[in-house]
Coordinates of all heavy atoms in Angstrom, one line a residue:
M1029 N 31.1 108.3 58.5 CA 30.3 108.9 57.5 C 29.4 110.0 58.0 O 29.5 111.1 57.6 CB 29.5 107.9 56.7 CG 28.7 108.4 55.6 SD 27.8 107.0 54.9 CE 27.6 107.5 53.3
F1030 N 28.6 109.7 59.0 CA 27.7 110.6 59.6 C 28.2 110.9 61.0 O 28.8 110.1 61.7 CB 26.3 110.1 59.7 CG 25.6 110.0 58.4 CD1 25.6 108.8 57.7 CD2 24.9 111.0 57.9 CE1 25.0 108.7 56.5 CE2 24.3 110.9 56.6 CZ 24.3 109.7 55.9
K1031 N 28.1 112.2 61.5 CA 28.5 112.6 62.8 C 27.4 113.5 63.4 O 26.7 114.2 62.7 CB 29.8 113.4 62.7 CG 31.0 112.6 62.3 CD 32.2 113.4 62.2 CE 33.4 112.6 61.8 NZ 34.6 113.4 61.6
T1032 N 27.3 113.4 64.7 CA 26.4 114.4 65.4 C 27.2 115.7 65.6 O 28.4 115.7 65.6 CB 26.0 113.8 66.7 OG1 27.1 113.5 67.5 CG2 25.2 112.5 66.6
L1033 N 26.4 116.7 65.8 CA 27.0 118.0 66.1 C 27.6 117.9 67.5 O 27.1 117.2 68.4 CB 26.0 119.1 66.1 CG 25.4 119.4 64.7 CD1 24.2 120.4 64.9 CD2 26.5 120.0 63.8
P1034 N 28.7 118.6 67.8 CA 29.4 118.5 69.1 C 28.4 119.0 70.2 O 27.9 120.1 70.1 CB 30.6 119.4 69.0 CG 30.8 119.7 67.5 CD 29.5 119.4 66.9
D1035 N 28.2 118.2 71.2 CA 27.4 118.6 72.3 C 27.7 117.7 73.5 O 27.2 116.6 73.6 CB 25.9 118.6 72.0 CG 25.0 119.0 73.2 OD1 25.6 119.4 74.2 OD2 23.8 119.0 73.0
S1036 N 28.6 118.1 74.4 CA 29.1 117.3 75.5 C 28.0 117.0 76.5 O 28.1 116.1 77.3 CB 30.3 117.9 76.1 OG 29.9 119.2 76.7
T1037 N 26.9 117.8 76.5 CA 25.8 117.6 77.5 C 24.7 116.6 77.0 O 23.8 116.3 77.7 CB 25.2 118.9 77.8 OG1 24.6 119.5 76.7 CG2 26.2 119.9 78.4
A1038 N 24.8 116.2 75.7 CA 23.8 115.4 75.1 C 23.7 114.0 75.8 O 24.7 113.4 76.1 CB 24.0 115.2 73.7
A1039 N 22.5 113.6 76.2 CA 22.3 112.3 76.8 C 22.4 111.2 75.7 O 22.1 111.4 74.5 CB 20.9 112.2 77.4
T1040 N 22.8 110.0 76.2 CA 22.9 108.9 75.2 C 22.2 107.7 75.8 O 21.9 107.6 77.0 CB 24.4 108.5 74.9 OG1 25.0 108.2 76.1 CG2 25.1 109.6 74.2
V1041 N 21.9 106.7 75.0 CA 21.3 105.4 75.5 C 22.1 104.3 74.8 O 22.7 104.5 73.8 CB 19.8 105.3 75.1 CG1 18.9 106.3 75.7 CG2 19.7 105.4 73.5
N1042 N 22.2 103.2 75.5 CA 22.9 102.0 75.1 C 22.0 101.2 74.2 O 21.0 100.7 74.7 CB 23.5 101.2 76.3 CG 24.5 102.1 77.1 OD1 25.5 102.5 76.5 ND2 24.2 102.2 78.3
V1043 N 22.5 100.9 73.0 CA 21.7 100.0 72.1 C 22.7 98.9 71.6 O 23.9 99.1 71.8 CB 21.1 100.7 70.9 CG1 20.1 101.8 71.4 CG2 22.1 101.4 70.0
V1044 N 22.2 97.9 71.0 CA 23.1 96.9 70.4 C 22.7 96.8 68.9 O 21.6 96.5 68.6 CB 22.9 95.5 71.1 CG1 23.8 94.5 70.4 CG2 23.2 95.6 72.6
I1045 N 23.7 97.0 68.1 CA 23.5 97.0 66.6 C 24.2 95.8 66.0 O 25.4 95.8 66.1 CB 23.9 98.3 66.0 CG1 23.1 99.5 66.5 CG2 23.8 98.3 64.5 CD1 23.5 100.9 66.0
N1046 N 23.5 94.9 65.5 CA 24.0 93.7 65.0 C 25.0 93.0 65.9 O 26.1 92.6 65.5 CB 24.6 93.9 63.6 CG 23.6 94.4 62.6 OD1 22.5 93.7 62.5 ND2 23.9 95.4 61.8
G1047 N 24.7 93.0 67.2 CA 25.5 92.4 68.2 C 26.6 93.2 68.8 O 27.3 92.8 69.7
T1048 N 26.8 94.5 68.3 CA 27.8 95.3 68.8 C 27.2 96.5 69.6 O 26.4 97.2 69.1 CB 28.6 95.9 67.6 OG1 29.2 94.9 66.8 CG2 29.7 96.8 68.1
P1049 N 27.7 96.7 70.9 CA 27.2 97.8 71.7 C 27.5 99.1 71.0 O 28.5 99.3 70.4 CB 27.9 97.6 73.0 CG 28.4 96.2 73.0 CD 28.7 95.9 71.6
F1050 N 26.5 100.1 71.2 CA 26.7 101.4 70.6 C 25.9 102.4 71.5 O 24.8 102.1 71.9 CB 26.1 101.4 69.1 CG 26.3 102.7 68.5 CD1 27.5 103.2 68.0 CD2 25.2 103.6 68.2 CE1 27.7 104.4 67.4 CE2 25.4 104.8 67.6 CZ 26.6 105.2 67.2
R1051 N 26.5 103.6 71.7 CA 25.9 104.6 72.4 C 25.2 105.6 71.4 O 25.9 106.3 70.7 CB 26.9 105.3 73.4 CG 27.4 104.4 74.4 CD 28.3 105.2 75.4 NE 27.6 106.2 76.1 CZ 26.9 105.9 77.2 NH1 26.8 104.7 77.7 NH2 26.3 106.9 77.9
A1052 N 23.9 105.6 71.4 CA 23.2 106.5 70.5 C 22.7 107.7 71.2 O 22.3 107.6 72.4 CB 22.0 105.7 69.9
P1053 N 22.6 108.8 70.5 CA 22.0 110.0 71.1 C 20.5 109.8 71.6 O 19.8 109.2 70.8 CB 22.0 111.1 70.0 CG 23.0 110.5 69.0 CD 23.0 109.0 69.1
A1054 N 20.2 110.1 72.8 CA 18.8 110.0 73.2 C 17.9 110.8 72.3 O 18.3 111.9 71.9 CB 18.7 110.5 74.7
G1055 N 16.8 110.2 72.0 CA 15.9 110.9 71.1 C 16.1 110.7 69.6 O 15.3 111.1 68.8
A1056 N 17.2 110.1 69.3 CA 17.5 109.7 67.9 C 16.6 108.5 67.5 O 16.1 107.8 68.3 CB 19.0 109.4 67.7
T1057 N 16.5 108.4 66.2 CA 15.8 107.2 65.7 C 16.7 106.0 65.6 O 18.0 106.2 65.5 CB 15.1 107.4 64.4 OG1 16.1 107.7 63.4 CG2 14.1 108.6 64.5
A1058 N 16.2 104.8 65.5 CA 17.0 103.6 65.2 C 17.8 103.8 63.9 O 19.0 103.4 63.8 CB 16.2 102.4 65.2
A1059 N 17.2 104.4 62.9 CA 17.9 104.6 61.6 C 19.0 105.5 61.8 O 20.1 105.3 61.2 CB 16.9 105.1 60.6
A1060 N 18.9 106.6 62.5 CA 19.9 107.5 62.8 C 21.1 106.8 63.5 O 22.3 107.1 63.2 CB 19.4 108.7 63.6
A1061 N 20.7 106.0 64.5 CA 21.8 105.2 65.2 C 22.6 104.3 64.2 O 23.8 104.2 64.3 CB 21.1 104.4 66.3
L1062 N 21.8 103.7 63.3 CA 22.5 102.8 62.3 C 23.5 103.6 61.5 O 24.6 103.2 61.2 CB 21.5 102.1 61.5 CG 20.7 101.0 62.2 CD1 19.4 100.7 61.4 CD2 21.6 99.7 62.2
L1063 N 23.0 104.8 61.0 CA 23.9 105.6 60.2 C 25.1 106.1 61.0 O 26.2 106.1 60.5 CB 23.1 106.8 59.6 CG 22.0 106.4 58.6 CD1 21.1 107.7 58.3 CD2 22.6 105.9 57.3
L1064 N 24.9 106.5 62.2 CA 26.0 107.0 63.1 C 27.0 105.9 63.3 O 28.2 106.1 63.3 CB 25.5 107.5 64.4 CG 24.8 108.9 64.3 CD1 24.1 109.2 65.6 CD2 25.9 110.0 64.0
A1065 N 26.5 104.6 63.5 CA 27.3 103.5 63.7 C 28.1 103.1 62.5 O 29.1 102.4 62.5 CB 26.5 102.3 64.3
G1066 N 27.5 103.5 61.3 CA 28.1 103.1 60.0 C 27.9 101.7 59.7 O 28.7 101.1 58.9
D1067 N 26.9 101.1 60.4 CA 26.7 99.6 60.2 C 25.6 99.4 59.1 O 24.5 99.3 59.3 CB 26.2 99.0 61.5 CG 26.4 97.5 61.5 OD1 26.4 96.9 60.3 OD2 26.5 96.9 62.5
L1068 N 26.1 99.5 57.8 CA 25.2 99.4 56.7 C 25.6 98.2 55.8 O 26.8 97.8 55.8 CB 25.3 100.7 55.9 CG 24.9 101.9 56.7 CD1 25.2 103.2 55.8 CD2 23.5 101.9 57.1
P1069 N 24.7 97.6 55.0 CA 23.4 98.0 54.8 C 22.5 97.7 56.0 O 22.8 96.8 56.8 CB 22.9 97.3 53.6 CG 23.8 96.0 53.6 CD 25.1 96.4 54.2
V1070 N 21.3 98.3 56.0 CA 20.3 98.0 57.1 C 19.6 96.7 56.7 O 19.2 95.9 57.6 CB 19.4 99.2 57.2 CG1 18.2 98.8 58.1 CG2 20.1 100.4 57.8
R1071 N 19.3 96.6 55.4 CA 18.6 95.4 55.0 C 19.0 95.0 53.6 O 19.7 95.8 52.9 CB 17.1 95.6 55.0 CG 16.6 96.6 53.9 CD 15.1 96.7 53.9 NE 14.6 97.5 52.8 CZ 14.0 97.0 51.7 NH1 13.9 95.7 51.5 NH2 13.6 97.9 50.8
T1072 N 18.6 93.8 53.1 CA 18.7 93.5 51.7 C 17.3 93.2 51.2 O 16.4 92.8 51.9 CB 19.6 92.3 51.5 OG1 19.1 91.2 52.2 CG2 21.0 92.6 52.0
T1073 N 17.2 93.4 49.9 CA 15.9 93.2 49.2 C 15.5 91.7 49.1 O 16.4 90.9 48.9 CB 15.8 93.9 47.9 OG1 16.8 93.3 47.0 CG2 16.1 95.4 48.0
P1074 N 14.2 91.4 49.1 CA 13.8 90.0 48.9 C 14.1 89.3 47.6 O 14.5 88.2 47.6 CB 12.3 90.0 49.1 CG 12.0 91.3 49.7 CD 13.1 92.3 49.3
V1075 N 14.1 90.1 46.5 CA 14.2 89.5 45.2 C 15.7 89.4 44.8 O 16.2 88.3 44.4 CB 13.4 90.3 44.1 CG1 13.7 89.7 42.7 CG2 11.9 90.2 44.5
S1076 N 16.4 90.5 44.8 CA 17.8 90.5 44.3 C 18.9 90.5 45.4 O 20.0 90.6 45.1 CB 18.0 91.6 43.4 OG 17.8 92.9 44.1
D1077 N 18.5 90.6 46.6 CA 19.4 90.6 47.8 C 20.2 91.9 47.7 O 21.4 91.9 48.2 CB 20.3 89.4 47.8 CG 20.8 89.1 49.2 OD1 20.0 89.3 50.2 OD2 21.9 88.6 49.3
S1078 N 19.7 93.0 47.1 CA 20.4 94.3 47.0 C 20.5 95.0 48.3 O 19.5 94.9 49.1 CB 19.7 95.2 46.0 OG 19.7 94.6 44.7
P1079 N 21.6 95.6 48.6 CA 21.7 96.3 49.9 C 20.9 97.6 49.9 O 20.8 98.3 48.9 CB 23.2 96.6 50.0 CG 23.7 96.6 48.6 CD 22.8 95.7 47.8
R1080 N 20.4 97.9 51.1 CA 19.6 99.1 51.3 C 20.0 99.8 52.6 O 20.5 99.2 53.5 CB 18.1 98.8 51.3 CG 17.5 98.4 50.0 CD 17.5 99.5 49.0 NE 16.8 99.1 47.8 CZ 17.5 98.7 46.7 NH1 18.8 98.5 46.7 NH2 16.8 98.4 45.6
A1081 N 19.8 101.1 52.6 CA 20.1 101.9 53.8 C 19.0 103.0 53.9 O 18.4 103.3 52.9 CB 21.5 102.6 53.6
P1082 N 18.9 103.6 55.1 CA 17.9 104.6 55.3 C 18.1 105.7 54.2 O 19.2 106.2 54.0 CB 18.1 105.1 56.7 CG 18.7 104.0 57.4 CD 19.6 103.3 56.3
Y1083 N 17.0 106.2 53.6 CA 17.1 107.2 52.6 C 16.2 108.5 53.0 O 16.7 109.6 53.1 CB 16.6 106.6 51.3 CG 16.7 107.6 50.1 CD1 17.9 108.0 49.7 CD2 15.6 108.0 49.5 CE1 18.0 108.9 48.6 CE2 15.6 108.9 48.4 CZ 16.9 109.4 48.0 OH 17.0 110.2 47.0
C1084 N 14.9 108.3 53.1 CA 14.1 109.4 53.3 C 14.0 109.9 54.8 O 13.8 111.1 55.0 CB 12.7 109.1 52.8 SG 11.7 108.0 53.9
M1085 N 14.2 109.0 55.7 CA 14.2 109.3 57.1 C 12.8 109.9 57.6 O 12.8 110.6 58.6 CB 15.3 110.3 57.5 CG 16.7 109.7 57.3 SD 17.1 108.2 58.2 CE 17.5 108.9 59.8
M1086 N 11.8 109.6 56.8 CA 10.5 110.1 57.3 C 9.3 109.1 56.9 O 8.2 109.5 56.8 CB 10.2 111.4 56.6 CG 10.2 111.4 55.1 SD 9.9 113.1 54.6 CE 9.7 112.8 52.8
G1087 N 9.7 107.8 56.8 CA 8.6 106.8 56.7 C 8.0 106.6 55.3 O 7.0 106.0 55.2
V1088 N 8.7 107.0 54.3 CA 8.2 106.9 52.9 C 8.8 105.8 52.1 O 8.1 105.0 51.5 CB 8.3 108.2 52.2 CG1 7.8 108.1 50.8 CG2 7.5 109.3 52.9
C1089 N 10.1 105.6 52.2 CA 10.8 104.7 51.2 C 10.9 103.3 51.7 O 11.1 102.4 50.8 CB 12.2 105.2 50.9 SG 13.4 105.1 52.3
F1090 N 10.8 103.0 52.9 CA 10.9 101.6 53.5 C 12.2 101.0 53.3 O 12.4 99.8 53.4 CB 9.8 100.7 52.9 CG 8.4 101.0 53.5 CD1 7.7 102.1 53.0 CD2 7.8 100.2 54.4 CE1 6.5 102.4 53.5 CE2 6.6 100.5 55.0 CZ 5.9 101.7 54.5
D1091 N 13.2 101.8 53.0 CA 14.6 101.2 52.8 C 15.3 101.0 54.2 O 16.4 100.6 54.2 CB 15.4 102.1 51.9 CG 15.2 101.8 50.5 OD1 14.6 100.7 50.2 OD2 15.5 102.6 49.6
C1092 N 14.6 101.4 55.3 CA 15.2 101.2 56.6 C 14.7 100.1 57.4 O 14.9 100.0 58.6 CB 15.0 102.5 57.4 SG 13.3 102.9 57.7
L1093 N 13.9 99.2 56.7 CA 13.3 98.1 57.5 C 14.4 97.3 58.2 O 15.4 96.9 57.6 CB 12.5 97.1 56.5 CG 11.3 97.7 55.9 CD1 10.7 96.7 55.0 CD2 10.3 98.3 56.9
A1094 N 14.1 97.0 59.5 CA 15.1 96.3 60.3 C 14.4 95.5 61.4 O 13.2 95.7 61.6 CB 16.0 97.3 61.0
E1095 N 15.1 94.6 62.0 CA 14.5 93.9 63.1 C 14.9 94.6 64.4 O 16.0 94.8 64.6 CB 15.1 92.4 63.1 CG 14.5 91.6 64.3 CD 15.2 90.3 64.5 OE1 15.1 89.5 63.6 OE2 15.9 90.2 65.5
I1096 N 13.8 95.1 65.1 CA 14.1 95.8 66.3 C 13.4 95.1 67.5 O 12.2 94.8 67.5 CB 13.5 97.3 66.1 CG1 14.2 98.0 65.0 CG2 13.6 98.0 67.5 CD1 13.7 99.4 64.7
D1097 N 14.3 94.8 68.4 CA 13.8 94.0 69.6 C 13.0 92.8 69.2 O 12.0 92.4 69.8 CB 13.0 94.9 70.5 CG 13.9 95.9 71.3 OD1 15.1 95.7 71.4 OD2 13.3 96.9 71.7
G1098 N 13.5 92.1 68.2 CA 12.9 90.8 67.7 C 11.8 90.9 66.8 O 11.3 89.9 66.3
A1099 N 11.3 92.1 66.5 CA 10.2 92.3 65.6 C 10.7 92.8 64.2 O 11.4 93.8 64.1 CB 9.2 93.4 66.1
P1100 N 10.5 91.9 63.2 CA 11.0 92.3 61.9 C 10.1 93.4 61.2 O 9.0 93.7 61.7 CB 10.8 91.0 61.1 CG 9.7 90.3 61.8 CD 9.7 90.7 63.2
N1101 N 10.6 93.9 60.1 CA 9.9 94.9 59.2 C 9.6 96.1 60.0 O 8.5 96.7 59.7 CB 8.7 94.2 58.7 CG 9.0 93.0 57.8 OD1 9.9 93.1 57.0 ND2 8.2 92.0 57.9
Q1102 N 10.4 96.6 60.8 CA 10.2 97.9 61.6 C 10.8 99.0 60.8 O 12.0 98.9 60.4 CB 10.8 97.8 63.0 CG 10.2 96.7 63.8 CD 8.7 96.8 64.0 OE1 8.2 97.8 64.5 NE2 8.0 95.8 63.5
Q1103 N 10.1 100.1 60.6 CA 10.7 101.2 59.9 C 11.6 101.9 60.9 O 11.1 102.7 61.8 CB 9.6 102.2 59.4 CG 8.9 101.6 58.1 CD 7.9 102.6 57.7 OE1 6.8 102.5 58.2 NE2 8.2 103.4 56.7
A1104 N 12.9 101.7 60.8 CA 13.8 102.2 61.8 C 13.8 103.7 61.9 O 14.2 104.3 62.9 CB 15.2 101.7 61.5
C1105 N 13.4 104.4 60.8 CA 13.4 105.9 60.9 C 12.3 106.4 61.7 O 12.2 107.6 61.9 CB 13.4 106.5 59.5 SG 11.9 106.2 58.6
L1106 N 11.3 105.6 62.1 CA 10.2 106.0 62.8 C 10.2 105.5 64.3 O 9.3 105.8 65.1 CB 8.9 105.6 62.2 CG 8.7 106.0 60.7 CD1 7.3 105.5 60.2 CD2 8.7 107.6 60.7
V1107 N 11.3 104.8 64.6 CA 11.3 104.2 66.0 C 12.4 104.9 66.8 O 13.6 104.8 66.4 CB 11.6 102.7 65.9 CG1 11.7 102.1 67.3 CG2 10.5 102.0 65.1
P1108 N 12.1 105.6 67.9 CA 13.1 106.2 68.7 C 13.9 105.2 69.4 O 13.4 104.1 69.9 CB 12.4 107.1 69.7 CG 10.9 106.8 69.5 CD 10.8 105.9 68.3
V1109 N 15.2 105.4 69.6 CA 16.0 104.5 70.4 C 15.6 104.4 71.8 O 15.1 105.4 72.3 CB 17.6 104.8 70.3 CG1 18.1 104.5 68.9 CG2 17.9 106.2 70.7
A1110 N 15.8 103.3 72.4 CA 15.5 103.1 73.9 C 16.6 102.3 74.5 O 17.3 101.6 73.8 CB 14.2 102.4 74.0
E1111 N 16.8 102.5 75.8 CA 17.9 101.8 76.5 C 17.7 100.3 76.3 O 16.7 99.7 76.5 CB 17.8 102.1 78.0 CG 18.9 101.5 78.8 CD 20.3 102.1 78.5 OE1 20.4 103.3 78.0 OE2 21.3 101.4 78.6
G1112 N 18.8 99.6 75.9 CA 18.9 98.2 75.7 C 18.3 97.7 74.4 O 18.2 96.5 74.1
M1113 N 17.9 98.6 73.5 CA 17.2 98.2 72.2 C 18.2 97.4 71.4 O 19.4 97.7 71.3 CB 16.8 99.5 71.4 CG 16.2 99.2 70.1 SD 15.7 100.7 69.2 CE 14.1 100.9 69.9
R1114 N 17.7 96.4 70.7 CA 18.5 95.5 69.9 C 18.1 95.7 68.4 O 16.9 95.5 68.1 CB 18.4 94.1 70.3 CG 18.8 93.8 71.7 CD 18.8 92.4 72.1 NE 20.0 91.7 71.6 CZ 21.2 91.7 72.2 NH1 21.3 92.4 73.3 NH2 22.2 91.1 71.7
I1115 N 19.0 96.2 67.6 CA 18.7 96.5 66.2 C 19.5 95.6 65.3 O 20.7 95.5 65.4 CB 19.0 98.0 65.9 CG1 18.4 98.9 66.9 CG2 18.6 98.3 64.4 CD1 18.9 100.3 66.8
N1116 N 18.8 94.8 64.5 CA 19.5 93.8 63.7 C 19.2 94.0 62.2 O 18.1 94.4 61.8 CB 19.1 92.4 64.1 CG 19.7 92.1 65.4 OD1 20.9 92.3 65.7 ND2 18.9 91.5 66.3
R1117 N 20.2 93.7 61.4 CA 20.0 93.7 59.9 C 19.0 92.7 59.5 O 18.9 91.6 60.1 CB 21.4 93.4 59.2 CG 21.3 93.4 57.7 CD 22.7 93.3 57.1 NE 23.5 94.4 57.5 CZ 24.6 94.3 58.3 NH1 25.0 93.2 58.7 NH2 25.3 95.4 58.6
Q1118 N 18.2 93.1 58.5 CA 17.2 92.2 58.0 C 17.6 91.7 56.6 O 17.8 92.6 55.7 CB 15.8 93.0 57.9 CG 14.7 92.1 57.5 CD 13.4 92.8 57.8 OE1 13.1 93.2 58.9 NE2 12.6 93.1 56.7
S1119 N 17.6 90.4 56.4 CA 18.0 89.9 55.1 C 16.8 89.4 54.3 O 16.1 88.6 54.8 CB 19.0 88.7 55.3 OG 20.2 89.2 55.9
G1120 N 16.6 90.0 53.1 CA 15.5 89.5 52.2 C 14.2 89.8 52.8 O 14.0 90.6 53.6
G1121 N 13.2 89.1 52.3 CA 11.8 89.2 52.8 C 11.7 88.4 54.1 O 12.1 87.3 54.2
V1122 N 11.0 89.1 55.0 CA 10.8 88.5 56.3 C 9.3 88.6 56.6 O 8.7 89.7 56.5 CB 11.6 89.1 57.4 CG1 11.2 88.5 58.8 CG2 13.1 89.0 57.2
E1123 N 8.7 87.5 56.8 CA 7.2 87.5 57.2 C 7.1 88.0 58.6 O 7.8 87.6 59.5 CB 6.6 86.1 57.1 CG 6.7 85.5 55.7 CD 5.7 86.2 54.8 OE1 4.6 86.6 55.2 OE2 6.1 86.4 53.6
A1124 N 6.1 88.9 58.8 CA 5.8 89.4 60.1 C 5.2 88.3 60.9 O 4.4 87.5 60.4 CB 4.8 90.6 60.0
K1125 N 5.6 88.2 62.2 CA 5.1 87.2 63.1 C 3.7 87.6 63.5 O 3.4 88.8 63.7 CB 6.0 87.1 64.3 CG 7.4 86.6 64.0 CD 8.2 86.6 65.2 CE 9.7 86.3 64.9 NZ 10.6 86.5 66.0
P1126 N 2.8 86.6 63.5 CA 1.4 86.9 63.9 C 1.3 87.4 65.3 O 2.1 87.2 66.2 CB 0.6 85.6 63.7 CG 1.6 84.6 63.7 CD 2.9 85.2 63.3
Ligands
FES1465 S1 14.3 105.8 55.7 FE1 12.6 105.9 54.3 S2 11.0 104.8 55.4 FE2 12.7 104.9 56.8

């Protein structure tokens, strides 16, 4: 669905999306990596379990909430990818760990 512009010199980092290894462009956000991987939805809503995917890509809609490196409720569109990052789908409401 989404593709990066062709650039053979672009650096990449290795991330794991829902258990599957993926090479994401360095400097991209976790939400961009999820869209590039086509691994959607990113989360489901707490009340109706409706699927959601990144929409605004600027921290406004909260439709990109994901578990990143074990921390739930992370706005994936505001978190840059890092080597070894683990990004997981979030189902329903998840209480933040103290
Ligand atoms: S995509 Fe809207 S807050 Fe992240």
Side-chain angles (χ1 to χ4, degrees):
M1029 180 184 210
F1030 292 92
K1031 294 180 181 176
T1032 57
L1033 294 173
D1035 182 359
S1036 62
T1037 62
T1040 58
V1041 295
N1042 297 303
V1043 299
V1044 179
I1045 297 176
N1046 296 314
T1048 302
F1050 182 73
R1051 294 182 67 81
T1057 63
L1062 285 159
L1063 291 170
L1064 285 169
D1067 198 334
L1068 302 172
V1070 170
R1071 72 175 183 103
T1072 58
T1073 60
V1075 175
S1076 62
D1077 207 34
S1078 298
R1080 292 290 185 265
Y1083 181 68
C1084 71
M1085 299 298 280
M1086 59 183 187
V1088 176
C1089 72
F1090 288 76
D1091 278 342
C1092 63
L1093 293 180
E1095 180 189 293
I1096 298 177
D1097 288 336
N1101 298 317
Q1102 302 300 301
Q1103 285 179 277
C1105 69
L1106 301 180
V1107 179
V1109 291
E1111 186 66 28
M1113 177 180 276
R1114 302 184 79 80
I1115 307 166
N1116 290 313
R1117 181 172 296 115
Q1118 184 169 303
S1119 297
V1122 178
E1123 296 292 323
K1125 295 176 186 171

